[in-house]
């Protein structure tokens, strides 16, 4: 499986934006990335300037949001939605989108849950917990956790 470095991931956003501006053909993943970029005009000056922002550090303690992390989380959620994994994520997303009357706002709520799951995994030195993620999203919809906890991918033989 391909695991891009931080530089590779950032370069992908820079290249997608450059190709879009040049009118070059885009891959399916680049078209999806472009749709995320278009929804975030506040990041256009960043992806327009890879020399300035390619190595920049965004510090949450300074109130900074890392635009590459933000867009990467959007991409992760889009991938989850495209294959409905974890199972039922598409239905939860649709319910959030309906509540907000805004697909993008729904993804932002989901991103908070996804980031929390990742943070817990890093803090505890373990794998991400799908139950934590789904319970967080379900909680935002005012529904409780699932009756039967799911196996995490690392628990499946």
């Amino acid at each position: 499986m391909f695991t891009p470095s931080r530089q590779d991931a950032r370069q992908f956003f820079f290249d997608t934006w450059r190709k879009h501006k040049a009118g070059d053909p885009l891959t399916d993943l680049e078209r999806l990335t472009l749709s995320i970029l278009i929804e975030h005009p506040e990041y256009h000056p960043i992806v327009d300037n890879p020399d300035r922002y390619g190595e920049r550090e965004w510090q949450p303690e300074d109130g900074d949001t890392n635009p590459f992390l933000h867009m990467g989380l959007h991409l992760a959620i889009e991938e989850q939605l495209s294959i409905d994994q974890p199972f039922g994520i598409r239905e939860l997303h649709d319910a959030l989108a309906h509540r907000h009357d805004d697909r993008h706002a729904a993804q932002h709520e989901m991103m908070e849950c996804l980031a929390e799951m990742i943070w817990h995994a890093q803090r505890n030195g373990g794998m991400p917990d799908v139950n934590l993620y789904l319970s967080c999203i379900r909680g935002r919809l005012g529904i409780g956790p699932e009756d039967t906890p799911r196996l995490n991918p690392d628990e499946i033989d």
Side-chain angles (χ1 to χ4, degrees), residues 6 10 16 28 40 46-47 103 150 152:
R6 181 180 90 159
R10 289 182 178 191
T16 297
D28 289 342
H40 290 87
I46 293 168
V47 292
R103 187 176 192 280
R150 297 181 187 208
N152 286 298

Side-chain angles (χ1 to χ4, degrees), residues 2-116:
F2 177 68
T3 305
S5 69
R6 181 180 90 159
Q7 273 54 46
D8 291 337
R10 289 182 178 191
Q11 192 62 51
F12 177 74
F13 287 104
F14 292 132
D15 290 346
T16 297
W17 188 245
R18 178 193 49 75
K19 287 172 72 175
H20 160 68
K21 289 181 73 174
D24 293 343
L26 300 174
T27 66
D28 289 342
L29 182 57
E30 289 168 335
R31 280 192 294 280
L32 179 59
T33 301
L34 178 61
S35 72
I36 293 166
L37 281 163
I38 288 171
E39 288 192 3
H40 290 87
E42 69 275 21
Y43 297 153
H44 296 176
I46 293 168
V47 292
D48 269 331
N49 198 340
D51 291 336
R52 181 173 182 191
Y53 294 105
E55 297 295 326
R56 175 158 177 209
E57 297 290 335
W58 281 268
Q59 302 298 327
E61 56 270 14
D62 295 333
D64 291 340
T65 297
N66 181 327
F68 300 103
L69 175 60
H70 183 88
M71 292 184 292
L73 290 171
H74 270 294
L75 275 174
I77 290 170
E78 287 288 356
E79 181 178 3
Q80 291 172 352
L81 296 174
S82 74
I83 60 173
D84 198 26
Q85 285 295 323
F87 179 74
I89 196 75
R90 192 180 299 140
E91 183 179 343
L92 293 172
H93 168 268
D94 291 349
L96 281 172
H98 179 62
R99 187 179 81 191
H100 288 287
D101 196 27
D102 184 349
R103 187 176 192 280
H104 192 82
Q107 285 195 9
H108 279 206
E109 273 205 73
M110 293 174 67
M111 286 169 54
E112 290 178 24
C113 294
L114 182 57
E116 181 180 335

